[in-house]
Amino acid sequence: MKPETLDRFEKKGSTWLFRCHNNGEVVTSQTGAVYKSEISQMATVIFETIGALGDIKVDRIQIMGEKKGIIMELESDGLVGSLFQHSPDASVDELWRALQELKKQVPQPAEKQKVETAGVQLRAKVDAQIFDEMKERVKGYLGDFTERIFKNQLKAQRINLDELYDEDVRRFILALGKAASMIIGPSKGHEMTNRLMTLLK
């Protein structure tokens, strides 16, 4: 990352750069690390909301408060954005331009990789029927929201039902738990996640 680019961005009042992958991974700038959990929850809500909108395409989100603001640009696999404090010379247009320059510099979450040793596959295959069992358990927590959230997360996590592994199911359950927490609260969301994980044991 070029120092002059970062300096120009920070002069506009921004210190919290972040990138959220739709698989739940979050990368932040050093100063934004303290907000990582909040950013993760916010991203989950955004991904769920956009999923519910269907054919309506959302490219950018801008929210302005009295003292702070947030700008985000959506990508095919997530979003990149920044929280910032207002300053007298801050220009939102310039912040957007700076974000364009900086977003390519943000480390990308590592892609999942296939682990193999001496030709022996270490990942365990899972029958796709497990999702039917999971859905029944989730209905007890999410009721009418179950189908929509299930569908959104299957798409967001890029689940391939024809070639399903335990790590895919674990990733799906964790993402589903985060999404559910936005509706039923963290405590119930955690409880639901634990109950779903028992299906893999």
Side-chain angles (χ1 to χ4, degrees), residues 182-194:
M182 300 300 109
I183 299 171
I184 59 178
S187 179
K188 283 291 185 183
H190 183 67
E191 178 185 304
M192 186 192 83
T193 299
N194 287 340

Side-chain angles (χ1 to χ4, degrees), residues 10 22 44 68 78 81 91 98 120-121 134 153 160 162 164 180:
E10 290 185 342
N22 57 17
T44 300
K68 293 182 180 179
S91 162
V120 178
Q121 204 169 66
M134 287 169 56
Q153 288 304 322
N160 181 358
D162 295 324
L164 189 64

Side-chain angles (χ1 to χ4, degrees), residues 2-3 7 16 20 23 38-39 41 44-45 51 53 63 71 79 83 96 112 126 145 167-168 172-174 178 183:
K2 295 180 180 179
D7 288 343
W16 308 307
C20 304
N23 69 4
E38 289 84 352
I39 289 171
Q41 291 180 359
T44 300
V45 172
L53 292 175
I63 302 171
I71 56 174
L79 61 83
L83 290 160
W96 278 115
K112 78 172 177 180
V126 179
F145 290 101
E167 66 187 58
D168 300 317
F172 175 81
I173 290 173
L174 291 173
K178 284 185 179 181
I183 299 171

Side-chain angles (χ1 to χ4, degrees), residues 115-123:
V115 181
E116 294 184 359
T117 303
V120 178
Q121 204 169 66
L122 299 181
R123 298 190 299 167

